[in-house]
């Protein structure tokens, strides 16, 4: 029996209908509408190996409109990934491999977590850039060991979200010719026909970005899809968008209606759709001949074996490059990285300089960038201010893809998503900077990095009211604790150059994003001795003789303030311990014995000092303690003057401490 392409596409539709009906939850419209697009790409173009979802030289696939997850899960099941029919049956259920939106690291074959519209296409830009930059670095004549495409499915919602504008503009500037996006142009979103709120000419928009525009084509016509994909792949100097005109809910009585976007078709409508499409009435039943037509395991194994043979030859002819390439794609840091950091710490201890921590961070990067070739930096048009560009940083040239530094322009959200794409692709550790207050723009990208446990580092400077004259719009208050509230995100707010180096060392080893909160103003060096506890997130930076009466806790620019206050209190006979807490997340992960040694349970008088929202610190000071924080917006004035107005002085710390002890 000859299996037609329509029958193969309808297998996707059958699984989507059945899984969503069984779950009584899901989005059937997009899988039904995009099934022909998926068949054209996954059966005739996509280079992948279901037996090894992480094979490095596979084509990457991003479902940017992640609510169409049953399209993805159907493809993974049909092509032979370790995703069984029982997993399809358990769509959206507890502990299943088929959650509501695709999750990288959870479901085999999912290259990146999607769901927040627009973030998928934006991250795909980073994935495509990673392929081009690695290819420039490592490919040699006869050895194209990095040679794959990045394909994206996206819908109207992805193109409405501003992050798609930011990222797609960069994709055109960077000439990412191996990025191909298929746009599901069905004209429907949750509120109905998009003609009332989405009227721009998408083709002209992408032409203006510098993309190749293919179509519009009939997104249900297999021959037109094949031709469009071939045309897209043939232009290697421009990213391509294929505009596919489709019918949401294709084959159902709810086609072309928002009613099939985010709700099951309903029992009767589902049955009728399956009958009309010629699908088996029995749920989750795909004929053996159709499964055989979809099976990609043999071809996938052949592709990977061919690449492995190529890699073995590359190792013989280019052993040095091959060793570094394999190390980079494995995620292992170069031998000696810790020694580099140790030397940075030693130099800081010897220099004892008064520096802004943004400057200390740049000094660290000046040593790390030449030592770690996978570090790729950047900033949101703030390179000089945030200190992310070093003497070893070379701006990436889109004509050659040589370089290790990206100029993102004023695009924090896209910058974050592109960093995620670079990290999830492999071979890179991305870092980039902006002002702390603008982390609001990037928050969703940071959250997704935490969900995926991606090693990305954010350099967030100008981290308090001490920004000064720029005023409250540029003075972060809540941002620091907003970042701390993201599960899996580690925040470091170092007090000087030593802590800054330790923070960078931790960031390079982290499984998840790291945010460095850095000062604009210079901070004094704090003598800690050779304290090995800095890496534990919180430690005693200054202690007293005997049991302390009072503990002062602080981070960043407020640590030196507390050390100064402790000296005053010491002169008044008060036994004070000062604790620096550069990373609350790291400290919280320590064993109880260590935490109790730093913050003894029986020392109830505790004062936390940090120029941010005070509420966070009651977890450490308890109901008996006090917090000197900032629970209002800042003001426009010199930073030193604001410190006095807001109470961030040693004298005020002393006064608050004495009041806490009942000695005021």
């Amino acid at each position: 029996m000859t299996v037609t392409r329509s029958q193969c596409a309808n297998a996707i539709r059958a699984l989507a209908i059945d899984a969503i009906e069984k779950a009584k939850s899901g989005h059937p419209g997009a899988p039904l509408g995009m099934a022909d697009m998926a068949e054209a790409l996954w059966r005739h173009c996509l280079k992948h190996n279901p037996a090894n979802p992480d094979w490095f030289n596979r084509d990457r696939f991003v479902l940017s409109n992640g609510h169409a997850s049953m399209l993805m899960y159907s493809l993974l099941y049909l092509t032979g990934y370790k995703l069984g029919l029982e997993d399809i049956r358990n769509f959206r259920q507890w502990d299943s491999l088929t959650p509501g939106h695709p999750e990288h690291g959870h479901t085999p074959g999912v290259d990146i977590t999607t769901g927040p519209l627009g973030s998928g296409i934006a991250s795909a830009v980073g994935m495509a850039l990673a392929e081009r930059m690695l290819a420039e670095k490592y490919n040699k004549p006869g050895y194209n060991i990095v040679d794959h495409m990045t394909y994206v499915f996206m819908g109207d919602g992805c193109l409405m979200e501003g992050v798609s504008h930011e990222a797609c503009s960069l994709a055109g500037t960077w000439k990412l010719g191996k990025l191909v996006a298929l746009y599901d142009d069905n004209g429907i979103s949750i509120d109905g026909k998009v003609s009332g709120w989405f009227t721009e000419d998408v083709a002209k928009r992408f032409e203006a970005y510098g993309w190749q525009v293919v179509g519009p084509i009939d997104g249900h016509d297999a021959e037109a899809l094949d031709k469009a994909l071939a045309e897209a792949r043939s232009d290697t100097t421009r990213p391509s968008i294929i505009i596919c005109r489709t019918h949401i809910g294709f084959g159902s009585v709810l086609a072309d209606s928002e009613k099939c976007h985010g709700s099951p078709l309903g029992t009767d409508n589902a049955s009728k759709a399956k009958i009309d499409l010629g699908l088996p009435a029995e749920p989750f039943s795909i004929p053996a001949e159709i499964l055989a037509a979809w099976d990609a395991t043999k071809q996938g194994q052949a592709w990977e074996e061919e690449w492995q043979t190529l890699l073995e030859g590359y190792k013989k002819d280019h052993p040095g490059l091959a060793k570094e390439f394999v190390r980079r794609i494995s995620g292992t840091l170069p031998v000696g990285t810790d020694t580099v950091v140790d030397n940075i710490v030693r130099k800081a201890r010897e220099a004892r300089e008064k520096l802004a921590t943004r400057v200390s961070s740049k000094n660290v990067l000046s040593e790390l960038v030449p030592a770690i070739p996978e570090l790729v930096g950047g900033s949101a048009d703030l390179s000089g201010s945030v200190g992310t560009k070093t003497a070893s940083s070379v701006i990436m040239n889109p004509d050659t893809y040589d370089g290790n530094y990206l100029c993102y322009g004023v695009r924090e959200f896209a910058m974050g998503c592109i960093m995620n794409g670079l990290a999830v692709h492999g071979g890179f550790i991305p870092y980039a900077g902006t002002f702390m207050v603008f982390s609001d723009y990037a928050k969703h990208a940071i959250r997704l990095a935490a969900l995926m446990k991606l090693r990305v580092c954010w350099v967030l400077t100008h981290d308090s009211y001490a920004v000064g004259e720029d005023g409250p719009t540029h003075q972060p208050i809540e941002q620091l604790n907003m970042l701390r509230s993201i599960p899996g995100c580690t925040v470091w707010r170092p007090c000087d150059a030593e802590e800054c180096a330790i923070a960078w060392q931790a960031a390079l080893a982290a499984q998840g994003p790291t945010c460095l909160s850095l000062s604009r103003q210079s901070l004094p060096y704090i003598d800690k001795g050779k304290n090995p506890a800095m890496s534990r997130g919180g430690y005693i930076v200054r202690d007293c003789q005997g049991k302390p009466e009072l503990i002062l806790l602080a981070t960043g620019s407020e640590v030196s303030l507390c050390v100064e206050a402790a000296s005053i209190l010491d002169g008044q006979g008060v036994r004070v311990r000062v604790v620096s807490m550069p990373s609350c997340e790291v400290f919280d992960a320590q064993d109880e014995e260590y935490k109790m040694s730093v913050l003894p349970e029986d020392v109830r008088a505790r004062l936390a000092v940090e120029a941010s929202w005070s509420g966070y610190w009651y977890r450490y000071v308890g109901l008996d303690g006090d917090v000197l924080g900032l629970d209002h917006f800042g003001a426009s004035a010199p930073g030193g003057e604001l410190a006095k107005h807001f109470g961030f002085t040693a004298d005020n710390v002393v006064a608050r401490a004495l009041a806490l002890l009942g000695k005021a």
Side-chain angles (χ1 to χ4, degrees), residues 140-154:
K140 296 298 175 185
Y143 291 106
N144 284 344
I145 58 167
V146 183
D147 184 15
H148 55 263
M149 303 291 294
T150 301
Y151 293 102
V152 185
F153 280 4
M154 60 186 184

Side-chain angles (χ1 to χ4, degrees), residues 315-589:
K315 288 177 179 178
K316 292 176 183 177
D317 290 352
H318 303 280
L321 281 175
K323 184 177 180 180
E324 184 181 90
F325 171 72
V326 171
R327 180 193 62 75
R328 281 182 63 167
I329 66 174
S330 73
T332 304
L333 290 171
V335 174
T337 297
D338 284 340
T339 301
V340 173
V341 176
D342 290 342
N343 287 334
I344 296 168
V345 171
R346 178 184 52 78
K347 289 177 184 177
R349 190 178 295 130
E350 292 171 353
R352 305 175 68 88
E353 289 183 280
K354 184 177 183 179
L355 296 171
T357 48
R358 62 170 173 156
V359 175
S360 297
S361 172
K362 182 175 182 179
N363 291 344
V364 175
L365 281 170
S366 294
E367 303 277 349
L368 292 178
V369 169
I372 306 175
E374 56 264 46
L375 277 174
V376 58
S379 86
D381 200 43
L382 290 167
S383 295
S385 294
V386 299
T388 47
K389 190 171 184 290
T390 73
S392 300
S393 298
V394 177
I395 294 174
M396 191 274 295
N397 180 349
D399 290 324
T400 64
Y401 298 104
D402 187 28
N404 61 357
Y405 194 83
L406 304 172
C407 293
Y408 290 99
V410 189
R411 300 181 178 96
E412 281 87 357
F413 193 178
M415 180 170 76
C417 288
I418 290 168
M419 288 165 68
N420 291 351
L422 287 162
V424 79
H425 176 277
F428 290 97
I429 302 174
Y431 71 92
T434 188
F435 292 168
M436 168 68 82
V437 76
F438 300 141
S439 62
D440 288 341
Y441 288 130
K443 191 260 186 181
H444 218 119
I446 299 170
R447 184 176 190 270
L448 286 168
L451 268 168
M452 290 184 275
K453 299 180 173 63
L454 299 181
R455 182 167 44 174
V456 299
C457 188
W458 284 83
V459 178
L460 302 170
T461 70
H462 298 59
D463 73 347
S464 75
Y465 66 84
V467 169
E469 292 86 346
D470 278 344
T473 61
H474 283 54
Q475 294 169 12
I477 304 298
E478 74 280 14
Q479 283 77 15
L480 187 56
N481 292 312
M482 175 268 287
L483 294 167
R484 286 174 175 149
S485 74
I486 301 173
C489 177
T490 303
V491 179
W492 286 83
R493 190 170 186 246
C495 71
D496 64 7
E498 273 188 278
E499 284 192 359
C500 205
I502 295 299
W504 268 108
Q505 185 177 44
L508 292 174
Q511 290 188 323
T514 299
C515 295
L516 303 183
S517 173
L518 305 173
S519 71
R520 177 198 188 195
Q521 75 278 20
S522 294
L523 305 179
Y525 171 80
I526 297 174
D527 190 355
K528 313 169 205 64
K530 293 184 178 180
N531 195 328
M534 281 188 289
S535 62
R536 303 187 77 166
Y539 65 101
I540 301 167
V541 72
R542 182 191 189 280
D543 214 354
C544 58
Q545 291 292 323
K547 179 183 175 182
E549 296 175 71
L550 170 75
I551 297 175
L552 298 177
L553 297 86
T555 73
S557 50
E558 287 71 63
V559 174
S560 59
L561 192 65
C562 287
V563 170
E564 183 183 351
S567 295
I568 298 171
L569 289 164
D570 185 58
Q572 299 180 21
V574 180
R575 297 187 306 277
V576 184
R577 170 178 291 179
V578 180
V579 172
S580 177
M581 191 87 81
S583 178
C584 299
E585 298 81 19
V586 173
F587 179 75
D588 289 346

Side-chain angles (χ1 to χ4, degrees), residues 302-313:
W303 275 324
E304 182 172 357
E305 287 175 358
E306 181 182 357
W307 182 77
Q308 288 290 353
T309 300
L310 187 71
L311 184 61
E312 290 306 312

Side-chain angles (χ1 to χ4, degrees), residues 25 58 79 160 173 178 197 307 390 401 424 561 617-618 625 651:
S25 173
R58 70 192 183 279
T79 53
M160 289 185 227
T173 298
K178 300 184 83 171
W197 49 86
W307 182 77
T390 73
Y401 298 104
V424 79
L561 192 65
W617 286 95
Y618 285 98
D651 288 342

